[in-house]
Amino acid sequence: MGPHISESALSGLVEDLAGEVIIPGDPGYEEARTLHNGMIDHRPSVIAQCESQADVSNAILFGRACDLPIAVRGGGHSVAGTSVIDGSLVVDLRRMHTVVVDPENMTVRVGGGATMGQMDHACQPFHVATTGGRVSTTGIGGFTLGGGSGWLERKFGLASDNLLAADLITAEGKHVRTSAEEHPELFWALHGGGGNFGVATSLTLRLHELPRMSVVMLFFLPENAPEVVRTFRDIAESAPDEVGGGTIYLPAPPEPFVPPELVGRLVCGTLLTYAGPVEEIRELAAPLFALRPVIEIVTDIPYAELQSMLDDPPGLRNYWSAEYLTEFPDEAVDVFCDRGAAIPLPAATQHVLFVQGGAVAAGAGPYPQPWRTAPWAVHPFATWEDPSMDEAEIQWVRDVRADARPWAIDAVYLNFVGAEGEQRVVSSFGEENYRRLAAVKAEYDPENVFHFNHNIVPAA
């Protein structure tokens, strides 16, 4: 127990919470403090596993009374590990995972601790969906409040574009409901501002009809990669908004669809997702089939299954970043491919290029997300097991960023990056937006209680 926590205060928290209070030495403590990123090994003083808004409020008031740093955990996917901090109180939302689908009004309400997979599976029977992340274990709260980039974004916009309302518990333990009509400035700030303004206990999101979903996933030998990437680029640039996807370098995984002789070898893959029937996306992808893929997966697929298709296992060591590009000319293709061929092995590292545009760019005006105007995103996603590879993997990610700078803008989707400094945060919102966000922060969290995030410093 930390030096600021008295037995009576801790007993009071236990009595106040419908959920569970866990401290070091308790059964379940090790599991409760473990995050997706295996590089993070933090030991919080108290973990409050909340089950209600009242629990969240009581936990925050306890943490402040005991002068404990306060971290907030949803899915636990933050690459910087900011949801579990040494010596902190962790407000753990994972028990608050209720999902209520309203197909008549085309909305879904999710608890602050719900994951993407829980929402997608609840929506699947109604043939509806909203833009979700590309990994099913991602927490919806942090994903959406950070902006929310996913396969459906070109058709339906970012997840934050589909945010209709949110319930927050503030740093003072008070409940605030926000929407376009209620606390509109706070609502604006939640479109990319992340967890800076309070703990999101529920989100209401707009749904869209999604009767069919299909994919074309192709893998090629790396010597063919430059032509493959250029072809993918040309297809994506003229594709309808129903198309999403990316191109990727990675070691071929040990999956049933991968021939044994390719497992662990570097390959170049392309993925085209399509909000429609497989026959149409196959036709669009015809130029890629002409380049002799060594693996072909062409199928209709339920959206919830697509969302879990690229799940990476927890516990690996992770280091990610991103750059957003104004263009992707042939010179950039060659640089991208050279760095992809240099992925440190053995690892599960991925070198990804995502296509944007469509509704992402069309909705850029009102929100503090200048990165969304860029048509391309380069996302070096390093994951590995052996700690002796830390330096090589981290340097590789930094080299990818340096390679991309000639075509990059200053702004970046912050959910894709770790702790890269205050200026990275400011530039990702833009200075004018940042000042406006700082004013909202000063109103709802003037003492910067919620600072374990891509932090927005309260305006003076």
Side-chain angles (χ1 to χ4, degrees):
M1 220 182 310
H4 304 295
I5 310 173
S6 69
E7 292 288 348
S8 61
L10 187 64
S11 297
L13 179 63
V14 171
E15 292 176 5
D16 287 341
L17 249 61
E20 186 175 0
V21 176
I22 300 175
I23 62 173
D26 283 351
Y29 175 80
E30 294 301 319
E31 184 281 329
R33 74 180 185 90
T34 300
L35 296 175
H36 182 79
N37 186 355
M39 294 182 76
I40 310 301
D41 186 24
H42 293 161
R43 303 187 66 84
S45 295
V46 180
I47 301 172
Q49 295 189 322
C50 301
E51 294 186 357
S52 66
Q53 286 185 349
D55 278 4
V56 174
S57 178
N58 287 330
I60 291 171
L61 294 175
F62 164 83
R64 299 200 66 184
C66 295
D67 200 24
L68 289 173
I70 296 176
V72 183
R73 175 174 186 153
H77 271 247
S78 162
V79 69
T82 54
S83 50
V84 172
I85 301 296
D86 284 333
S88 68
L89 164 75
V90 175
V91 179
D92 188 338
L93 303 175
R94 285 178 292 173
R95 295 188 179 198
M96 300 174 64
H97 55 70
T98 301
V99 178
V100 179
V101 182
D102 183 349
E104 183 175 345
N105 292 307
M106 294 296 284
T107 64
V108 59
R109 188 178 186 191
V110 299
T115 64
M116 211 61 62
Q118 290 166 333
M119 180 177 71
D120 292 337
H121 283 285
C123 291
Q124 190 81 39
F126 303 101
H127 303 289
V128 295
T130 194
T131 302
R134 301 173 177 93
V135 176
S136 68
T137 53
T138 301
I140 297 170
F143 168 79
T144 302
L145 300 183
S149 170
W151 301 127
L152 295 175
E153 65 190 12
R154 284 168 45 85
K155 178 65 175 175
F156 301 138
L158 302 175
S160 56
D161 296 339
N162 293 284
L163 180 65
L164 299 175
D167 290 287
L168 299 184
I169 303 297
T170 70
E172 295 181 348
K174 296 179 179 179
H175 170 242
V176 174
R177 181 166 177 81
T178 180
S179 66
E181 294 76 32
E182 306 166 277
H183 303 277
E185 192 70 359
L186 173 61
F187 188 65
W188 172 84
L190 296 182
H191 289 73
N196 272 285
F197 312 102
V199 180
T201 56
S202 77
L203 305 173
T204 302
L205 300 164
R206 181 186 298 108
L207 292 174
H208 306 268
E209 292 184 3
L210 189 66
R212 295 187 71 176
M213 194 79 200
S214 56
V215 298
V216 171
M217 185 163 65
L218 308 174
F219 290 94
F220 303 82
L221 296 177
E223 52 263 35
N224 298 326
E227 187 176 7
V228 169
V229 175
R230 284 193 294 270
T231 302
F232 170 84
R233 175 200 62 193
D234 296 344
I235 291 172
E237 284 182 337
S238 59
D241 292 351
E242 287 79 6
V243 174
T247 185
I248 182 172
Y249 273 86
L250 78 169
E255 298 288 349
F257 59 83
V258 177
E261 65 272 16
L262 289 180
V263 171
R265 289 182 56 189
L266 199 63
V267 293
C268 176
T270 60
L271 174 64
L272 291 170
T273 66
Y274 186 59
V278 70
E279 297 82 10
E280 295 176 8
I281 189 62
R282 178 190 283 274
E283 182 178 350
L284 189 73
L288 287 168
F289 284 100
L291 300 180
R292 303 177 303 281
V294 293
I295 300 171
E296 300 181 10
I297 300 173
V298 184
T299 184
D300 287 304
I301 187 171
Y303 179 62
E305 186 176 329
L306 167 64
Q307 289 290 80
S308 61
M309 187 169 66
L310 299 180
D311 283 3
D312 48 329
L316 294 176
R317 304 174 79 78
N318 282 249
Y319 188 83
W320 326 328
S321 193
E323 293 292 341
Y324 281 69
L325 312 183
T326 57
E327 57 179 342
F328 194 57
D330 286 350
E331 183 183 355
V333 171
D334 293 339
V335 170
F336 176 85
C337 292
D338 287 346
R339 190 62 63 187
I343 288 175
L345 296 175
T349 291
Q350 303 171 16
H351 185 32
V352 188
L353 173 78
F354 289 124
V355 59
Q356 291 205 129
V360 179
Y367 300 128
Q369 302 160 329
W371 50 270
R372 61 191 290 164
T373 60
W376 301 101
V378 171
H379 183 30
F381 189 96
T383 57
W384 67 100
E385 290 188 72
D386 185 354
S388 69
M389 294 185 65
D390 287 1
E391 184 177 350
E393 294 286 350
I394 291 170
Q395 186 59 52
W396 176 83
V397 170
R398 292 172 176 167
D399 290 342
V400 172
R401 283 194 60 198
D403 288 346
R405 287 307 302 167
W407 303 278
I409 62 175
D410 289 333
V412 65
Y413 171 46
L414 289 170
N415 280 357
F416 273 175
V417 308
E420 296 183 0
E422 181 181 359
Q423 187 53 47
R424 183 77 149 155
V425 176
V426 174
S427 63
S428 292
F429 293 121
E431 291 189 6
E432 183 177 343
N433 285 326
Y434 186 86
R435 284 193 292 270
R436 186 175 168 187
L437 289 164
V440 178
K441 176 78 169 182
E443 181 176 355
Y444 292 93
D445 183 17
E447 297 180 50
N448 206 9
V449 170
F450 302 118
H451 61 273
F452 296 116
N453 44 43
H454 293 295
N455 192 233
I456 296 164
V457 180

